[in-house]
Amino acid sequence: MASKTIEDVLFPWIDVRVEGVSDSSGILVVEAVSTARPGRCPNCRKQARRIHSTYQRSLDERPLGLFRVIVRLRVRRYFCDRGSCSRATFVEQVPGLSARYRRSSTGLVGWLRSIAIELGGRPAARLCRRLRLAAGRTRLLRLLTAPAVPDRAPRVLGVDEFAFRKG
């Protein structure tokens, strides 16, 4: 039987390297570094070549047993070298773990969305407290917003028959 590394257990199929794990009062803190290839600029889609800096993000992750898990992820900020691009720098996102402007991992957001769909506001918040997930009713209801509008909208809209005289 092949032995598994901590990366295989905590982050399967995600390009991160775990540098340390510490436990403090029921919270498991995982120090991780992104090992993915350089990202692409979100505006012009050109692949980055130069690193601007690095910084650390804190992401809430799905609980592991009785422990709440926080991932301290070190990510890289890149320069966009295309002169016509309006974005000077951008931060890499780790697919399967992080998303822009999020403080929770994509896996945790998926769990919370599923709970919110099934239970709604206050009952979902009570279940989240029992599961040691940090989510209130307003956050759960915010996850239920309408899906994004597609990039290509239909050209012709049908109009139902309507008559003022018939009321």
Side-chain angles (χ1 to χ4, degrees):
M1 179 185 239
S3 63
K4 293 194 177 229
T5 63
I6 193 163
E7 287 92 356
D8 295 334
V9 173
L10 293 177
F11 309 112
W13 306 290
I14 299 175
D15 293 327
V16 294
R17 182 180 70 241
V18 175
E19 291 191 330
V21 178
S22 62
D23 172 28
S24 61
S25 67
I27 298 175
L28 200 64
V29 179
V30 179
E31 305 281 339
V33 177
S34 171
T35 58
R37 295 179 53 201
R40 294 186 177 273
C41 175
N43 287 4
C44 66
R45 305 300 301 158
K46 181 174 175 23
Q47 183 143 6
R49 292 190 178 155
R50 297 185 304 143
I51 296 176
H52 177 277
S53 60
T54 62
Y55 77 97
Q56 194 173 57
R57 301 177 61 167
S58 290
L59 298 169
D60 285 335
E61 179 57 284
R62 294 168 284 198
L64 187 63
L66 296 176
F67 292 100
R68 182 173 164 220
V69 179
I70 295 177
V71 178
R72 290 200 180 133
L73 179 66
R74 194 167 63 230
V75 292
R76 297 168 285 204
R77 177 176 289 278
Y78 291 102
F79 286 105
C80 181
D81 291 327
R82 183 167 284 173
S84 61
C85 183
S86 62
R87 189 178 293 264
T89 63
F90 62 94
V91 176
E92 70 178 331
Q93 300 302 322
V94 180
L97 186 61
S98 67
R100 290 178 71 185
Y101 307 117
R102 292 278 181 172
R103 292 184 183 155
S104 300
S105 70
T106 54
L108 178 60
V109 170
W111 273 23
L112 294 176
R113 186 174 289 122
S114 298
I115 291 171
I117 288 170
E118 294 298 325
L119 296 176
R122 285 191 177 105
R126 285 193 299 268
L127 178 63
C128 287
R129 273 196 304 274
R130 299 272 309 197
L131 295 174
R132 298 179 186 261
L133 300 174
R137 63 184 173 89
T138 55
R139 178 181 180 192
L140 292 166
L141 292 175
R142 209 175 311 122
L143 292 173
L144 297 178
T145 58
V149 177
D151 293 336
R152 185 175 158 95
R155 293 178 185 254
V156 178
L157 295 175
V159 179
D160 292 338
E161 293 182 23
F162 183 79
F164 283 107
R165 291 185 192 178
K166 293 181 181 177

